[in-house]
Amino acid sequence: MNDPRSTDRLLATWFESDAPTSAPEALKTDIHRATARIRPRPAWLARMRGTDMNVIEGGVGRRSPRLAPALVLLALLLIAILAAVAVVGSRPPGDRLAAVPSVAPSGAPTSSATRAPSPSPSATPTPLADATIAFDYPVLEVIAGNDAMWVSVSGEDTHELPRTIHRIDPGTTTSTVVVDSIGADDRSPVSMVQANGSIWAVANAGNQMLRFDATSGRLVGTIPLGEFPIEPAVGFGFVWSENYRDGSVTKIDATTGKVAATITIAEFRGEGPRSIAAGEKLLWAVTPRQDVLVGIDPAKNRVVKTIDLAADLHCGVAAVGGRVWVASCDPKPLQVFDEATGAPQGVFGGAPGIGVPLFAADGVAWIPTGDDVPPLSTKLIGIDLATLQTSERPVVDLGVQAGGERWITVGHGSLWYATGNNVNRLSLDVFGSS
C-alpha cells in the first residue's frame, strides 16, 4: 500500500484526482436531510440523550456511563443551593417597620414586607416639606417624644431591623445619635416610645422591654413582658405593651420602670391586642378575630367598657377628636364611636390605603390614605367630625409614598413622615391649624 507503484495506491491517486469537488446537485437535498438527523452534539448532551450517533466522538464505544451520575449529582447540588437562597430571601423581614407585625386576612401577625422604604442616597425634599433630614440608612420608625422627635434607623447589615436611635430637635431639625447600638437579638423587631427621660423599646424575640436613658443612650434596664409584645404606647403616666399572644397588656410605671400590672383582656380570649390607643380617660384596644372594642381603666387595671363591632378583622384603633376610630385589616370603612358614651357615630371610608386619624383640629380629623394598602400613605384627607363626611378642606398631597402608622406621626406642631433614608417635616399650618 505504501509503494506508490502498487495497484491500491494508483487507484487511490486516480480516484482523488478525478473525484468531484462537491456532491451532485440532485443528491444535495437528500444528503442534508439525512445528516440533519445525525448531526453531532456535545458529548455530555449526547450521553444524556443516549443516542450513539449523536456522540461527537462517535460510536457506542465512546459512551461513558459514568457521566450521567455526575450530572445528576451536580443538578441536585444546584437545586439545594437555589432552595437555600429562596429560603433566606423569603425569611420574614421582622414584621412591619421591622418592629410591628401586620395582620393577614387570617388575623394572625405576619411579616410584611413591607417592608422598609428603599434607600435614598441624599436628602431630597418632598414638594410640601419645610425641612428634610437625611440618614445613612432607611428610617424604620418616627415617634414624638416629650421634647423631641425620635427615629430608629437600620444599619449596613440590614434594612429591616433597627440598629440605632436618633433624636431630632423639632425646631432646628438637627439630628443626634443617642443609642448607637440597640443591642436586641438580631432576629428581633423593635418598636419604641419615649417618656419621662427614657426610650422604651419592645423586643418581641425576647419578650422584653429595653429602657434607654434618653440623654446618654445607656441601657438602664430590661423589663419582662408577655408573649410576643408589639407596638407600645404612652398614656396616663405609664408605658403600655400589647402582648399579642397572651391577650393582655403590660402596664409599666414610666418613672420607676417597674411593672405596675398585667391586665388580661378576657374578651380577647387569649389573643391580642393588635392595637392600643390612649384616649381621654381609657386605654382602648382591639384584636383581629374578636368583634369587640374594649376600654381599660388605667386606675382600676381592668376593662370597664366593651363596645360591639361589626364582624370583621380589626387591625387599628385611634382616639382622636372625641371619637374612637376602629380600622379593618382590609380596605373597609372605619367604625366610629363617641369616646365618652361609646355610642356608634357611623362609618367612614373604605378606600384602599385608608388609616386611622392622626390628629384633629377645628372640627376636622385628618386621615392618611394612599393608592394602596398601608404602608403607602401619600395624602391626608380631612373628615368632618360632626358628619363623618369628607371635609371641604383641600386634600394634602405629600408627593411621596410615606410609610404607614410608624412612619408618619404628629408632634411639636408638625407632621413628620419618613420615606427612604429621609424624615420630612411639614408644619400643621398647612392643615389650617397651628
Side-chain angles (χ1 to χ4, degrees), residues 3 6 19 42 46-47 52 112 144-146 156 160 168 189 301 310 321 347 367 380 405 408 420 433:
D3 187 350
S6 68
R47 285 174 182 138
D52 300 345
S112 75
N146 299 135
E156 61 183 3
E160 299 164 352
I168 298 178
N301 295 331
V347 297
I367 299 180
L380 277 86
E405 295 173 3
I408 182 168
S433 171

Side-chain angles (χ1 to χ4, degrees), residues 3 97 103 131 136 139 150 163 174 250 257 308 337 352 387 425 427:
D3 187 350
L97 159 74
V103 178
D136 291 336
V139 173
W150 296 87
R163 293 293 180 247
T174 302
T250 300
D308 291 335
F337 304 89
T387 65
R425 185 188 68 182
S427 173

Side-chain angles (χ1 to χ4, degrees), residues 7 39 59 62 74 89 112 140 163 212 239 242 248 255-256 274 279 288 293 376:
T7 304
R39 183 168 297 145
R62 293 283 188 170
L74 178 60
S112 75
L140 301 178
R163 293 293 180 247
F212 298 95
V239 177
E242 43 193 333
S248 69
T255 300
T256 67
R274 172 61 182 84
L293 166 68
L376 296 178

Side-chain angles (χ1 to χ4, degrees), residues 48-130:
M48 289 183 67
R49 297 294 181 88
T51 303
D52 300 345
M53 292 296 293
N54 283 340
V55 180
I56 197 167
E57 290 86 357
V60 177
R62 293 283 188 170
R63 295 179 62 195
S64 173
R66 293 174 297 176
L67 185 58
L71 291 171
V72 170
L73 182 61
L74 178 60
L76 291 175
L77 180 60
L78 289 174
I79 291 171
I81 292 172
L82 291 174
V85 171
V87 169
V88 172
S90 62
R91 183 175 296 169
D95 302 335
R96 223 173 105 185
L97 159 74
V100 184
S102 59
V103 178
S106 66
T110 61
S111 298
S112 75
T114 140
R115 58 227 183 254
S118 12
S120 55
S122 61
T124 304
T126 63
L128 289 179
D130 54 44

Side-chain angles (χ1 to χ4, degrees), residues 14 103 164 188 191 241 294 303-304 338 385-386 400:
W14 178 75
V103 178
T164 57
S188 180
S191 185
S241 169
V294 302
V303 174
V304 296
D338 182 88
L385 288 171
V400 295

